């Protein structure tokens, strides 16, 4: 029997294969039980252009817990600002096999509102 983690990683692999065909920078999201992390990775997949997470001290001071929708929205806003500062406007959204729901959805919508296009 395949574990939930293996199923998620299989979905992530399929998504990343499709994004590779697009030749676009990708906004990758990882969520744990206590935090959420986002990275913008260049189209070759070898270099991180920008990163934001609830572990950063600036974010930790603003939110009570890193495992909330509000914290995810704040991380989405920060990653969009950092990416735009580096000159990245268009990205492909890589949800890493997680459902587009809750914290992952909040991060994506906040990044769109802050000006990232995907």
């Amino acid at each position: 029997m395949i574990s939930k983690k293996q199923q998620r990683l299989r979905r992530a692999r399929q998504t990343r294969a499709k994004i590779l065909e697009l030749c676009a920078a990708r906004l990758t999201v990882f969520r744990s039980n206590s935090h959420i992390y986002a990275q913008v990775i260049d189209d070759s997949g070898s270099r991180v252009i920008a990163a934001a997470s609830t572990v950063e001290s600036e974010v930790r001071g603003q939110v009570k817990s890193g495992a909330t929708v509000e914290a995810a929205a704040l991380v989405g806003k920060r990653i969009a600002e950092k990416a735009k500062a580096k000159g990245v406007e268009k990205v492909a959204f890589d949800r890493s096999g997680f459902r587009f729901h809750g914290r992952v959805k909040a991060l994506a919508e906040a990044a769109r509102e802050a000006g990232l296009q995907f």
Side-chain angles (χ1 to χ4, degrees):
M1 190 168 142
I2 300 174
S3 71
K4 284 178 85 172
K5 183 175 181 183
Q6 288 173 323
Q7 289 173 346
R8 181 184 69 79
L9 293 175
R10 182 185 55 78
R11 287 190 302 268
R13 204 168 32 252
Q14 290 172 336
T15 304
R16 290 182 184 136
K18 189 67 179 172
I19 290 172
L20 193 62
E21 292 174 12
L22 297 173
C23 295
R26 74 177 202 256
L27 171 60
T28 306
V29 175
F30 177 76
R31 68 171 172 79
S32 67
N33 287 338
S34 52
H35 294 287
I36 192 158
Y37 307 83
Q39 294 179 324
V40 175
I41 301 170
D42 72 343
D43 52 352
S44 67
S46 61
R47 193 170 61 93
V48 174
I49 298 168
S53 72
T54 53
V55 179
E56 295 174 349
S57 58
E58 298 86 29
V59 177
R60 290 184 87 157
Q62 295 179 29
V63 293
K64 192 171 138 184
S65 169
T68 61
V69 171
E70 293 79 26
L74 187 62
V75 171
K77 186 176 175 218
R78 285 179 58 83
I79 193 70
E81 290 167 356
K82 288 181 178 185
K84 286 178 74 173
K86 296 280 176 112
V88 177
E89 294 282 332
K90 289 190 89 155
V91 296
F93 188 63
D94 178 4
R95 55 190 173 82
S96 302
F98 295 109
R99 286 177 57 201
F100 190 78
H101 178 267
R103 291 189 285 157
V104 175
K105 183 177 178 181
L107 189 145
E109 289 175 348
R112 278 193 184 114
E113 286 174 17
L116 272 186
Q117 295 176 339
F118 56 91

